[in-house]
Amino acid sequence: MAVFLGVTGISFAAFPLSKVFPLALAQAVASGAVGAFLVDRIIRKQLGHLLVKASSSQSEPKENAIHSKNIGLLSDFAGPKGTQLEIVYGVFGYMQILSACFMSFAHGGNDVSNAIGPLAAALSILHGGASGAEIVIPVDVLAWGGFGIVAGLMMWGYRVIATIGKKITELTPTRGFAAEFAAASVVLVASKLGLPISATHTLVGAVMGVGFARGLNSVRAETVREIVVSWVVTIPVGAIFAVFYTWIMTKLLSYIL
């Protein structure tokens, strides 16, 4: 179901196959169904031995197979144990690869656009563009933006990966999938609406939400405090540096010209 929704959403929002709404929706649903079927076949092929093992252990007493546990803000429920838990983690291990790709797609669609936005305005002025609606960005400029985000990930991204993956709350394949899928859905909708949001902030909020679902004490308060402070600080600091750089560039150009 998650693969169906993700592929359908991307096909309809990002790669519409037709300009006619009913036809585009039908084609997106068909693409989602094909993607879900293929992923289902792959997962069943990889985890077939566990499925056989689980079916053979269904005759065990319920008290050995079911364990009631408290997950904080949600009500108690019978969680999987043993082979069932291994199957769940195995399935979502594959699913999280897809959700990470979904999040990366949404991240690039929004955050690269944030970086290219000022450059797009400058190029529009240089080419005599009349309004923002007429801005057309060359593909090579977008490629440079994508290269920059990949280079930053390779050089310094491991720090953010460590913070989100380990320092906020304890993540499992199911929790990681839930956080990535939720964040990617929000970012993709924002990109479709033309809203320049932060994909990283959205993902941090989703990871915090996964932690809060298990209880308020499941989220590390000191890490959240540092992240929130950084969110508050970066906006005015970025504005101050922009004012400073603009003043420097204005002075230099006045002397040169």
Side-chain angles (χ1 to χ4, degrees), residues 103 107 111 149-169 171 180 198-205 207 220 223 226-227 230-231 234:
M103 183 64 209
H107 189 185
D111 284 35
I149 212 169
V150 172
L153 175 64
M154 293 176 62
M155 294 179 61
W156 301 108
Y158 69 93
R159 295 176 179 269
V160 180
I161 293 173
T163 299
I164 296 178
K166 296 182 178 180
K167 296 182 180 180
I168 298 177
T169 188
L171 292 177
E180 288 178 334
S198 172
T200 306
H201 291 186
T202 306
L203 182 58
V204 168
V207 172
R220 296 181 178 88
T223 303
E226 292 176 359
I227 293 174
S230 69
W231 289 351
T234 51

Side-chain angles (χ1 to χ4, degrees), residues 32-101:
V34 172
F37 176 78
L38 293 177
V39 171
D40 178 75
R41 293 295 93 192
I42 293 173
I43 291 178
R44 288 184 180 275
K45 182 178 179 180
Q46 296 295 328
L47 302 178
H49 63 289
L50 293 177
L51 296 175
V52 173
K53 183 179 178 181
S55 61
S56 63
S57 63
Q58 286 181 351
S59 59
E60 297 179 1
K62 289 186 176 181
E63 59 268 16
N64 294 333
I66 297 177
H67 176 69
S68 181
K69 59 182 180 179
N70 191 299
I71 57 171
L73 300 180
L74 304 182
S75 59
D76 293 348
F77 76 103
K81 295 285 289 184
T83 304
Q84 291 182 344
L85 183 62
E86 192 175 354
I87 292 174
V88 171
Y89 281 2
V91 169
F92 279 91
Y94 288 98
M95 295 292 291
Q96 198 172 0
I97 298 175
L98 298 177
S99 66
C101 295

Side-chain angles (χ1 to χ4, degrees), residues 122-185:
L123 291 176
S124 177
I125 293 174
L126 289 175
H127 291 86
S131 63
E134 300 177 1
I135 293 178
V136 177
I137 306 301
V139 177
D140 56 343
V141 175
L142 295 176
W144 276 110
F147 171 78
I149 212 169
V150 172
L153 175 64
M154 293 176 62
M155 294 179 61
W156 301 108
Y158 69 93
R159 295 176 179 269
V160 180
I161 293 173
T163 299
I164 296 178
K166 296 182 178 180
K167 296 182 180 180
I168 298 177
T169 188
E170 181 184 358
L171 292 177
T172 61
T174 52
R175 298 168 193 164
F177 172 83
E180 288 178 334
F181 194 83
S185 302

